[in-house]
């Protein structure tokens, strides 16, 4: 075998390993296709909705339409979450319209998730929901948990909501990943979700709800995001972890207070 072909072997091996690592990272960022329907989502077929994305991909979830005079709340879940898990919040607040759409590849939504498509889908679905409400200027409130905090932050940069609520948020997924495997995430073609980059331009009130025992998003990652805002956000901490914060007593009520101060 000629020398030049022998020299290509390590290059090919490195390329294959790089591709394998990239696929592994992507499956860790977006494992949602394996998530099952939350118990709370059963029995609400009247609120089930299917929306065609701009590229024809069918996105599915739930839309609780409370009419043209109601504000619209759009909520975005974590990377291993079926967004139907938020339905109890919509049921507890009949005065507002609630939109829960599973990301591409999550729940019954078609397609494969990626950062650009998820953000574009979120904005498209807000427009579709407002049209169904009969009010394309309905006041908008955004709530994002974990990965969804990145979605909500980017949507807020373009949709100018009344209020943005971020739960267990990070400055960027790349930074979080580097805390686990230094340097490598910068070398892989992974979605970065750089919330800290859009934070300085946000003009709406922002509330950050964080867990004191969060081992998924390091405290320093949330701290960097907080410092990135031009106007300091309201920050509330709970003695809870990343995945247990919603079960902390009073946490759901606190979300409701942020969305609708006069509701509770």
């Amino acid at each position: 075998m000629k020398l030049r072909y022998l020299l290509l072997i390590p290059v090919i091996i490195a390329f294959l390993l790089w591709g394998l690592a990239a696929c592994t990272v992507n499956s860790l960022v977006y494992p949602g296709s394996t998530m099952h329907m939350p118990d709370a989502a059963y029995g609400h077929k009247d609120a089930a909705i299917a929306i065609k994305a701009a590229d024809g991909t069918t996105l599915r979830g739930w839309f609780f339409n409370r009419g043209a005079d109601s504000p619209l709340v759009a909520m975005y879940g974590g990377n291993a979450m079926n967004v139907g898990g938020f339905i109890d919040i919509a049921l507890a607040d009949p005065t507002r319209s609630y939109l829960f759409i599973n990301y591409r590849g999550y729940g019954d939504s078609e397609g494969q998730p990626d950062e650009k498509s998820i953000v574009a889908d979120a904005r498209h679905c807000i427009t579709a929901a407002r049209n169904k409400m009969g009010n394309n200027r309905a006041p908008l409130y955004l709530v994002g948990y974990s990965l969804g905090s990145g979605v909500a932050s980017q949507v807020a940069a373009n949709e100018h909501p009344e209020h943005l609520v971020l739960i267990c948020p990070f400055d960027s997924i790349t930074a979080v990943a580097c805390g686990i495997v230094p340097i490598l995430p910068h070398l892989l073609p992974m979605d970065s979700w750089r919330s800290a980059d859009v934070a300085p331009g946000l003009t709406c009130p922002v509330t950050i709800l964080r867990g004191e025992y969060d081992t998924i998003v390091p405290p320093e990652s949330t701290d960097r995001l907080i410092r990135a805002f031009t106007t300091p956000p309201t920050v509330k901490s709970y003695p809870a972890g990343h995945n247990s914060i919603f079960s902390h007593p009073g946490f759901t009520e606190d979300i409701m207070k942020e969305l609708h101060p006069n509701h509770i």
Side-chain angles (χ1 to χ4, degrees):
M1 184 179 293
K2 293 183 179 181
L3 178 61
R4 63 178 179 179
Y5 292 117
L6 287 173
L7 293 175
L8 282 175
I9 291 176
V11 175
I12 293 172
I13 292 174
F15 180 79
L16 291 174
L17 290 175
W18 178 80
L20 177 61
C23 291
T24 301
V25 168
N26 194 62
S27 66
L28 292 173
V29 175
Y30 305 116
S33 59
T34 62
M35 301 308 295
H36 300 293
M37 184 86 76
D39 291 340
Y42 289 103
H44 298 287
K45 293 182 179 179
D46 55 325
I49 189 173
I51 298 175
K52 287 286 186 181
D55 65 357
T57 300
T58 300
L59 307 171
R60 294 186 173 89
W62 296 265
F63 178 43
F64 292 82
N65 186 353
R66 271 62 185 261
D69 294 331
S70 66
L72 173 63
V73 180
M75 300 185 67
Y76 307 104
N79 73 329
M81 178 181 180
N82 187 311
V83 79
F86 287 140
I87 282 180
D88 284 344
I89 295 177
L91 298 178
D93 179 11
T95 68
R96 299 199 165 202
S97 295
Y98 281 82
L99 178 66
F100 313 124
I101 300 295
N102 273 311
Y103 307 135
R104 293 173 179 238
Y106 282 56
D108 292 327
S109 290
E110 298 175 350
Q112 295 295 319
D114 66 83
E115 183 174 358
K116 183 178 179 180
S117 295
I118 288 174
V119 175
D121 291 345
R123 297 185 64 196
H124 179 81
C125 289
I126 286 170
T127 298
R130 279 172 160 166
N131 288 338
K132 289 181 178 296
M133 293 169 65
N135 181 1
N136 60 13
R137 295 183 178 274
L140 177 65
Y141 292 75
L142 299 175
V143 182
Y145 163 62
S146 193
L147 173 64
S149 71
V151 182
S153 295
Q154 292 198 33
V155 172
N158 293 281
E159 298 295 335
H160 311 295
E162 303 295 318
H163 200 120
L164 173 64
V165 180
L166 304 178
I167 304 168
C168 300
F170 47 77
D171 56 337
S172 78
I173 279 186
T174 304
V176 172
C178 282
I180 302 171
V181 185
I183 301 175
L184 181 60
H186 288 294
L187 304 177
L188 298 175
M190 61 181 291
D191 289 342
S192 57
W193 292 102
R194 297 181 180 276
S195 297
D197 287 357
V198 301
L202 298 181
T203 58
C204 66
V206 178
T207 297
I208 289 179
L209 309 178
R210 63 189 302 183
E212 295 174 3
Y213 310 128
D214 194 332
T215 58
I216 305 299
V217 175
E220 55 269 23
S221 177
T222 303
D223 291 340
R224 286 192 295 266
L225 175 62
I226 292 170
R227 292 194 297 268
F229 287 96
T230 302
T231 301
T234 299
V235 180
K236 298 181 180 180
S237 298
Y238 300 83
H242 190 86
N243 295 320
S244 63
I245 193 167
F246 279 91
S247 61
H248 185 272
F251 181 75
T252 299
E253 288 77 8
D254 284 351
I255 295 177
M256 299 287 286
K257 290 175 184 177
E258 298 299 326
L259 298 177
H260 195 342
N262 296 323
H263 180 70
I264 296 178

